[in-house]
């Protein structure tokens, strides 16, 4: 699949549920309305959709959400999609999780063919963790991470940089990741969906974070790309890899290789734009024939926009797109 700007689309991110057992302050409001279950695709339908993308050349698949591991029986989807890894059709299948259910599922993920996972951890302080996630607990997440490590999964920690909330912990997080052998990626808050507060005060440009880190750490740019938008440095003192995802200070759209599928079968061709494509209709209208679905996918890719333009400042307090990150999958 080649889009109008010559970019090859090889990466599909799938939000398998919009629901979550946490309510992170930058992602959701405390009282969220979730999709009615009838609108959500079955696991079999999600499998069929993902498989259609694999047949069209997708080489990397990431399950996300919401919290993917709270969807009932999600492991059966993971196992079934694992056949594309085992056949060599996919280079990689992975997941982004908040870690709350990881202790239970880590081995099953590995057995299904996953080798790397992303776990979101914004703080190693139990109280602060609770303040950020509202409903989450640090302990189960740390146990889940340990289980994942024991199962043989390579772990990357995702940390959203939050001004005056977790910016006093970055050194500790870098040290911890170095000790544990985890990669770490820092993310700027993106203006997606209404949250209860105002994101302006929490937004922390990673250019400032990096400049501050460089007072204490030796950061050397490295060319590594993991198929995502992060730019990496090597941390001299720990030997670990640290990535920066900077959708606001440095737009990364020119190398975008991805599209995003929601659990209702809507395809978003850009995280920061509203244009979408309905894949549920062709999927359901032709239960045993994928040709209409394939045509709908081609048509959607032909509309992939050049890029997004997120802005967070005092004049742009509202979200750039109305949907939450948990709908499209972060
Ligand atoms: N629930 C899983 C988790 O938290 O890892 C997967 C879905 S979550 C939407 C994926 C990633 O998006 C997480 O690392 C989260 O921190 C990040 N995220 C959520 N809302 C965001 C926002 N408004 N700006 C930047 N990152 C956000
Ligand atoms: Fe849930 Fe992930 Fe959003 Fe936090 S960031 S509320 S864990 S979907």
């Amino acid at each position: 699949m080649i889009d109008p700007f010559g970019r090859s689309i090889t990466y599909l991110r799938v939000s398998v549920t919009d629901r979550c057992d946490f309510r992170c302050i930058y992602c959701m409001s405390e009282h969220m309305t979730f999709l009615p279950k009838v609108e959500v695709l079955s696991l079999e339908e999600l499998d069929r959709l993902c498989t259609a993308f694999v047949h069209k050349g997708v080489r990397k698949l990431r399950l996300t959400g919401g919290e993917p591991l709270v969807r009932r029986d999600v492991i059966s989807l993971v196992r079934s999609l694992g056949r594309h890894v085992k056949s060599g059709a996919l280079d990689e299948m992975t997941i982004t999780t908040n870690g709350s259910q990881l202790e239970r599922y880590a081995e099953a993920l590995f057995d299904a063919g996953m080798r790397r996972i992303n776990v979101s951890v914004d703080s190693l302080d139990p109280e602060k963790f609770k303040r950020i996630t509202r409903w989450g607990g640090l302990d189960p997440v740390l146990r889940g991470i340990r289980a994942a490590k024991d199962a043989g999964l390579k772990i990357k920690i995702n940390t959203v940089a939050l001004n005056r909330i977790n910016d006093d912990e970055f050194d500790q997080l870098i040290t911890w990741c170095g000790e544990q052998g985890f990669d770490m990626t820092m993310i700027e808050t993106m203006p997606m969906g209404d949250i209860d507060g105002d994101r302006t005060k929490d937004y922390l440009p990673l250019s400032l974070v990096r400049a501050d880190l460089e007072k204490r750490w030796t950061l050397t740019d490295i060319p590594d790309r993991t198929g995502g938008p992060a730019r990496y440095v090597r941390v001299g003192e720990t030997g670990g890899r640290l990535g920066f995802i900077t959708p606001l200070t440095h737009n990364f759209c020119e190398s975008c290789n991805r599209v995003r599928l929601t659990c209702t079968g809507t395809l978003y061709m850009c995280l920061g734009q509203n244009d979408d494509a309905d894949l549920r209709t062709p999927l359901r209208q032709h239960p045993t024939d994928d040709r209409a679905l394939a045509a709908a996918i081609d048509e959607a890719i032909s509309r992939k926009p050049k890029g997004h333009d997120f802005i967070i400042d005092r004049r742009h307090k509202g979200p750039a797109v109305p949907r939450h990150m948990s709908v499209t999958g972060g």
Side-chain angles (χ1 to χ4, degrees):
M1 293 181 284
I2 308 284
D3 81 357
F5 302 94
R7 296 169 297 193
S8 176
I9 310 305
T10 53
Y11 182 8
L12 177 69
R13 300 174 65 107
V14 187
S15 174
V16 299
T17 176
D18 63 331
R19 289 165 196 253
C20 187
D21 53 344
F22 290 7
R23 291 288 180 279
C24 302
I25 50 174
Y26 48 79
C27 178
M28 293 192 177
S29 69
E30 184 142 30
H31 305 285
M32 294 285 290
T33 312
F34 293 110
L35 290 162
K37 291 224 165 91
V38 289
E39 285 197 27
V40 175
L41 298 183
S42 68
L43 294 174
E44 293 71 24
E45 287 174 320
L46 278 172
D47 185 304
R48 207 180 129 209
L49 258 179
C50 292
T51 300
F53 275 94
V54 172
H55 290 155
K56 288 207 135 298
V58 157
R59 303 288 311 171
K60 175 170 170 177
L61 189 66
R62 178 178 299 276
L63 305 182
T64 174
E67 174 46 43
L69 295 180
V70 300
R71 174 141 185 193
R72 187 183 306 164
D73 210 19
V74 68
I75 286 299
S76 67
L77 175 67
V78 177
R79 283 203 187 100
S80 151
L81 290 172
R83 71 188 185 281
H84 298 307
V85 180
K86 289 175 184 160
S87 76
L90 274 180
D91 295 330
E92 183 169 41
M93 171 174 68
T94 179
I95 195 165
T96 301
T97 172
N98 66 22
S100 68
Q101 314 297 315
L102 205 45
E103 191 174 22
R104 196 149 48 110
Y105 290 133
E107 278 192 24
L109 297 180
F110 187 90
D111 291 344
M114 281 199 195
R115 293 297 175 262
R116 296 193 308 151
I117 62 169
N118 289 2
V119 187
S120 302
V121 179
D122 299 325
S123 171
L124 290 172
D125 172 82
E127 284 188 8
K128 204 178 284 182
F129 188 88
K130 175 126 237 148
R131 182 178 153 210
I132 296 171
T133 60
R134 290 201 190 99
W135 294 6
L138 180 62
D139 264 359
V141 171
L142 293 182
R143 286 203 305 274
I145 290 173
R146 205 164 307 128
K149 198 176 165 185
D150 290 346
L153 291 163
K154 212 169 154 359
I155 296 166
K156 186 167 81 170
I157 300 296
N158 278 350
T159 302
V160 176
L162 298 163
N163 190 27
R164 286 186 293 210
I165 299 180
N166 64 356
D167 51 357
D168 57 342
E169 277 196 66
F170 298 156
D171 289 337
Q172 198 195 340
L173 280 157
I174 291 171
T175 305
W176 176 66
C177 287
E179 286 166 359
Q180 299 288 327
F182 303 155
D183 284 343
M184 175 176 168
T185 297
M186 306 187 75
I187 309 172
E188 289 175 345
T189 50
M190 295 173 230
M192 299 191 58
D194 262 329
I195 51 171
D196 294 327
D198 163 16
R199 279 195 184 83
T200 335
K201 61 178 183 5
D202 297 342
Y203 168 59
L204 184 55
L206 287 181
S207 48
L208 296 184
V209 173
R210 179 173 174 163
D212 181 59
L213 290 176
E214 280 180 327
K215 293 178 192 156
R216 295 173 304 284
W217 302 93
T218 316
L219 307 182
T220 312
D221 285 310
I222 47 176
D224 305 28
R225 302 302 291 256
T226 52
R231 279 151 216 272
Y232 285 95
V233 298
R234 181 75 57 199
V235 182
E237 289 74 5
T238 67
R241 214 159 52 144
L242 176 64
F244 296 96
I245 298 188
T246 55
L248 287 96
T249 52
H250 180 110
N251 178 308
F252 41 66
C253 305
E254 68 281 359
S255 59
C256 183
N257 59 351
R258 67 201 50 206
V259 288
R260 295 173 150 89
L261 185 66
T262 74
C263 60
T264 59
T266 302
L267 189 74
Y268 285 98
M269 287 73 86
C270 172
L271 181 65
Q273 302 280 0
N274 287 319
D275 198 23
D276 62 21
D278 165 29
L279 301 183
R280 186 173 58 182
T281 303
L283 180 84
R284 288 195 169 159
Q285 270 175 357
H286 306 277
T288 55
D289 180 351
D290 280 352
R291 278 174 298 183
L293 179 60
I297 293 173
D298 287 341
E299 190 279 328
I301 300 299
S302 78
R303 284 191 278 130
K304 186 170 162 62
K306 191 160 181 211
H308 66 248
D309 36 26
F310 288 138
I311 308 172
I312 294 188
D313 64 20
R314 260 172 267 130
R315 278 184 303 125
H316 300 85
K317 283 191 180 167
V321 289
R323 60 185 189 277
H324 292 88
M325 184 74 105
S326 49
V327 173
T328 343

